[in-house]
């Protein structure tokens, strides 16, 4: 994938998203480029997962209107919680989590948000890539600082998942549900993923960089690049614009984090369980260095650990970022 985007790429994409055709000649004149450069920019956009209509004699256009990120619209949508956040938007970045982690180590404030139209090296759980599409995804990271150390962060990824599901459910008739430890699902297909990276002392100053990737509109090629079943907001019939959706996510995150800071995950557990997609289902846990474990999904405990009822009807807690959970298709 391209590690660098052409400097004119996103200005051109914004021009093409008005629904009209723009000729290569007109684009070349408008942006001070050769027609060959315009063609190369359009090709790069295609390699990033964007579908662009190209018609000989008419030019180029994006087939669907795109609402590009707009800081003023997002801040307006935040309303009374706007002062809790410092928002930084970019067109293209390696990874919002990587960039915000570096900024956090350099001392940026609690509540800093990095959001990018495109990540060329987005990160998912367990070292996987996170695929995003310009205009077709919502990818952002938030920084939260804590005084009580890393030990106070148990269950944070579950709290974040709850906030994202609530934000989506404001606008969707297909309820988003939760998969331990950090996925948002609709009909057992992945709508959003969460990556929490932490640094600090066990009992002193610590911080968490929380990355969120949400599928807005994916094309067929983009879906094929993902190694699991996915769903997007367009397929769900959700019409909300990305700026309002990001504002809603940040509002819900603020509400959840306020409770989490005071009381830990315990205060959010009941609400998380109400959206648990796997409750009572036969599941299999893949645990590194051990045989797969089968049992019945039985919710989570006060620390956010997954509870599995095993063959002997014992309730066993599991926690750790390397464990993966899936439905047990044998039963």
């Amino acid at each position: 994938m391209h590690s660098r985007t052409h400097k004119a790429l996103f200005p051109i994409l914004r021009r093409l998203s008005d629904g009209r055709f723009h000729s290569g000649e007109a684009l070349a004149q408008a942006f001070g480029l050769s027609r060959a450069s315009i063609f190369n920019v359009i090709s790069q956009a295609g390699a990033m997962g964007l579908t662009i209509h190209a018609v000989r004699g008419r030019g180029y256009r994006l087939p669907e209107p795109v609402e590009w990120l707009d800081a003023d619209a997002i801040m307006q949508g935040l309303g009374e919680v706007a002062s809790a956040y410092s928002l930084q938007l970019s067109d293209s970045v390696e990874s919002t989590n990587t960039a915000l982690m570096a900024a956090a180590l350099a001392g940026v404030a609690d509540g800093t948000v990095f959001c990018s139209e495109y990540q060329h090296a987005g990160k998912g759980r367990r070292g996987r890539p996170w695929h995003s599409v310009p205009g077709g995804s919502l990818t952002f990271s938030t920084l939260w600082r804590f005084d009580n150390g890393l030990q106070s962060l148990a269950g944070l990824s579950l709290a974040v998942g709850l906030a994202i599901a609530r934000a989506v459910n404001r606008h969707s008739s297909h309820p988003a549900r939760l998969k331990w430890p950090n996925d948002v699902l609709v009909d057992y297909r992945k709508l959003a993923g969460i990556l929490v990276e932490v640094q600090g002392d066990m009992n002193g100053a610590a911080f968490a960089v929380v990355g969120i990737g949400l599928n807005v509109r994916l094309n067929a090629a983009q879906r094929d690049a993902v190694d699991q079943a996915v769903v997007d907001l367009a397929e769900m019939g959700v019409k909300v614009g990305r700026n309002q959706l990001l504002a809603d996510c940040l509002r819900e995150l603020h509400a959840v984090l306020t409770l989490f800071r005071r009381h830990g995950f315990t205060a959010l557990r009941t609400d998380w369980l109400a959206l648990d997609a796997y409750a009572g289902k036969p599941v299999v846990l893949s645990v590194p260095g051990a045989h797969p474990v089968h049992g019945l999904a039985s919710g989570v405990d006060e620390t956010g650990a997954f509870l599995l009822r095993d063959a002997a009807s014992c309730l066993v807690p599991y926690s750790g970022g390397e464990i993966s959970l899936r439905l047990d298709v044998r039963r």
Side-chain angles (χ1 to χ4, degrees), residues 113 121 315:
V113 180
L315 214 51

Side-chain angles (χ1 to χ4, degrees), residues 37-115:
S37 293
I38 295 294
F39 178 80
N40 289 337
V41 170
I42 299 297
S43 298
Q44 186 177 48
M48 292 160 66
L50 271 170
T51 300
I52 295 181
H53 284 168
V55 177
R56 187 180 296 278
R58 299 188 71 189
Y60 308 100
R61 71 167 185 177
L62 287 171
E64 302 283 350
V66 175
E67 181 183 286
W68 300 101
L69 296 171
D70 180 299
D72 290 339
I74 296 163
M75 295 306 286
Q76 187 172 351
L78 285 172
E80 73 281 2
V81 304
S83 60
Y85 290 107
S86 170
L87 185 63
Q88 296 192 35
L89 303 182
S90 62
D91 283 339
S92 178
V93 72
E94 177 186 354
S95 151
T96 55
N97 256 40
T98 300
L100 187 51
M101 180 64 75
L105 291 168
V108 296
D110 179 86
T112 298
V113 180
F114 281 12
C115 188

Side-chain angles (χ1 to χ4, degrees), residues 5 16 38 54 91 110 113 117 128 132 143 158 167 172 174 185-186 224 230 236 265 305 307:
T5 56
L16 296 182
I38 295 294
D91 283 339
D110 179 86
V113 180
E117 293 286 6
R128 290 174 173 166
S132 61
L143 170 67
L158 282 75
S172 176
H174 302 278
L185 308 180
V186 174
D224 291 344
V230 295
M236 293 160 57
F265 178 70
L307 296 175

Side-chain angles (χ1 to χ4, degrees), residues 6 8-18 20-43 45 52-55 58-62:
H6 193 287
L9 174 66
F10 281 92
I12 288 171
L13 290 178
R14 289 182 173 92
R15 182 71 60 92
L16 296 182
S17 61
D18 62 4
R20 297 200 296 266
F21 279 100
H22 296 263
S23 71
E25 185 176 359
L27 290 171
Q29 279 189 332
F31 293 97
L33 298 170
S34 67
R35 290 185 63 175
S37 293
I38 295 294
F39 178 80
N40 289 337
V41 170
I42 299 297
S43 298
I52 295 181
H53 284 168
V55 177
R58 299 188 71 189
Y60 308 100
R61 71 167 185 177
L62 287 171

Side-chain angles (χ1 to χ4, degrees), residues 269 295-301 305-318:
R269 177 173 175 253
L296 285 180
S298 303
V300 295
D301 68 12
F306 180 78
L307 296 175
L308 185 78
R309 192 169 296 281
D310 66 14
S313 285
C314 294
L315 214 51
V316 184
Y318 289 86

Side-chain angles (χ1 to χ4, degrees), residues 49 62 192 262 283:
L62 287 171
R262 291 179 189 153
V283 296

